Amino acid sequence: MAKVGRGVRAGSVGTGSVGTGGGETSGGPGVAAGGDARAAKKKLRKVERQERILGELRASPAIRISQLAEEYRVSTETIRRDLDDLSRRGMLNRTYGGASARAFAFEPALSERHKEHVEERQRVGALAARAIRPGQVLMIDVGSTTVHFARRLSAELKDLTVITNSFGVATVLSANPTIAVILCPGRYDGREGSVFGSDAVAFLDRYNANVAVISASGLTADGPNDVNPNAAAIKRAMLGRSATGLLLLDHSKYDLLTLENVCPLDEIDVLVSDQAPPAPLGRALKRAEVAVELAGEGGRGDADRLARLLQGEVPRPDAAKPAGTRRRA
């Protein structure tokens, strides 16, 4: 029987030997006597535990707090906080005593989304607008954050050309007579206040722009995604006709997976958000050479650097070429 030395409890994770006697544990390297997979789960960090919870939801339509607490050897309050956190991030639906899988193809209507994370989205829109320069041509898609961006453009900029499928963006910009607004044709979607469809995509293909300004339902290491395939098609078309791709979203979209991937991460040049992304997503963004700019209170941030990024004057992280030099197919 393996000896348990001072300072090491039975069942704890070690380095292959336990105590001063050097005896190997019966559970194999790294696990003390009596250790098993259930004991190992007790050592999971919060991020790891939440990843496993999401994995269980992919295998089962519903999970219970009591079962998770027993499985991971933590308190029910810890699991409840995990589920509340994941629910706030839109990654599951909270139910009485547990959680259920989130529908990948559902998102509240635009009018409802306008009420969420208002301050954060205003900050993102304000910083991004300060980086736009007179004379530029922009393509702007539909979204609550892009409307905040358009409001700041209308109030602070002049001599722009904007191509959009969003009635909200077009209406806000129409208050500024120096901004030319080109509205896409297509099938009107009342929930989104915008037009979609093949006519809109074909229309966008006639134009070229300096910057495509898009939002997304979620952002993962695979890239931005959207609950609406028609919206995803518009975003891809805008990115394909623009020298630089600018993604605007708040922190609630991080690690949120919805129905359709818009594009790989490396087709986005710059991300503007209100908070730094979680470490794993941050590493993925760096590998994809996406520059990340953060908007502080009141939209404070390095607008000059952001403007240079959008014009291709500053290399992106680890990039051989600066942003704005790659035309997408």
Side-chain angles (χ1 to χ4, degrees):
M1 180 177 178
K3 297 180 181 178
V4 180
R6 290 189 299 272
V8 181
R9 295 179 298 170
S12 65
V13 177
T15 58
S17 61
V18 180
T20 58
E24 286 289 323
T25 68
S26 60
V31 182
D36 57 18
R38 290 169 63 86
K41 284 186 176 181
K42 186 177 180 181
K43 299 297 182 181
L44 291 177
R45 294 178 301 169
K46 177 182 176 181
V47 171
E48 295 169 331
R49 188 174 60 247
Q50 291 186 355
E51 286 176 353
R52 296 211 183 176
I53 289 172
L54 292 174
E56 296 201 23
L57 266 180
R58 285 190 285 271
S60 174
I63 51 179
R64 303 289 297 174
I65 289 174
S66 57
Q67 293 172 339
L68 292 173
E70 181 180 357
E71 181 176 357
Y72 293 106
R73 296 288 184 89
V74 295
S75 69
T76 56
E77 283 302 313
T78 295
I79 295 297
R80 187 172 287 108
R81 286 193 295 269
D82 282 341
L83 297 184
D84 288 343
D85 182 35
L86 292 169
S87 176
R88 281 192 297 270
R89 292 158 57 192
M91 304 182 80
L92 52 74
N93 293 324
R94 283 286 274 116
T95 60
Y96 182 76
S100 61
R102 182 181 183 275
F104 281 178
F106 174 78
E107 186 174 55
L110 183 63
S111 59
E112 292 300 313
R113 302 201 303 275
H114 275 308
K115 303 173 186 177
E116 301 172 348
H117 304 285
V118 175
E119 181 182 349
E120 293 90 338
R121 292 170 181 176
Q122 287 176 339
R123 286 158 49 186
V124 170
L127 175 58
R130 288 169 50 215
I132 302 302
R133 296 294 179 256
Q136 289 186 322
V137 178
L138 311 179
M139 290 186 176
I140 307 177
D141 88 318
V142 63
S144 55
T145 306
T146 54
V147 169
H148 287 299
F149 169 70
R151 285 197 182 106
R152 297 303 288 260
L153 289 181
S154 183
E156 300 172 8
L157 272 291
K158 62 180 181 179
D159 300 328
L160 299 174
T161 298
V162 174
I163 305 161
T164 185
N165 68 320
S166 166
F167 278 42
V169 168
T171 300
V172 167
L173 292 175
S174 67
N176 185 330
T178 74
I179 298 178
V181 179
I182 301 173
L183 187 62
C184 295
R187 177 173 292 183
Y188 181 68
D189 183 331
R191 292 185 81 254
E192 293 299 297
S194 62
V195 293
F196 299 118
S198 58
D199 287 342
V201 171
F203 183 80
L204 289 169
D205 199 45
R206 293 166 46 186
Y207 294 92
N208 301 302
N210 298 104
V211 185
V213 185
I214 69 168
S215 58
S217 300
L219 179 66
T220 72
D222 291 327
N225 55 74
D226 204 280
V227 301
N228 187 339
N230 291 319
I234 293 290
K235 297 175 200 296
R236 282 192 289 269
M238 289 182 170
L239 290 169
R241 301 307 305 174
S242 302
T244 303
L246 173 60
L247 176 62
L248 307 182
L249 49 76
D250 68 85
H251 68 278
S252 70
K253 305 297 183 68
Y254 289 152
D255 291 326
L256 182 58
L257 184 64
T258 62
L259 179 62
E260 183 165 333
N261 290 333
V262 173
C263 64
L265 267 185
D266 62 6
E267 291 192 18
I268 300 297
D269 295 296
V270 184
L271 164 67
V272 178
S273 188
D274 63 303
Q275 291 183 18
L281 179 57
R283 289 192 292 270
L285 288 162
K286 185 174 182 179
R287 286 194 300 270
E289 303 170 3
V290 179
V292 179
E293 295 293 320
L294 301 181
E297 187 175 348
R300 287 198 299 270
D302 195 340
D304 289 337
R305 171 182 162 79
L306 179 55
R308 295 196 302 273
L309 280 165
L310 296 181
Q311 295 179 67
E313 298 173 3
V314 178
R316 297 184 296 159
D318 303 325
K321 294 182 179 180
T325 62
R326 301 180 302 167
R327 170 69 62 183
R328 298 168 179 81

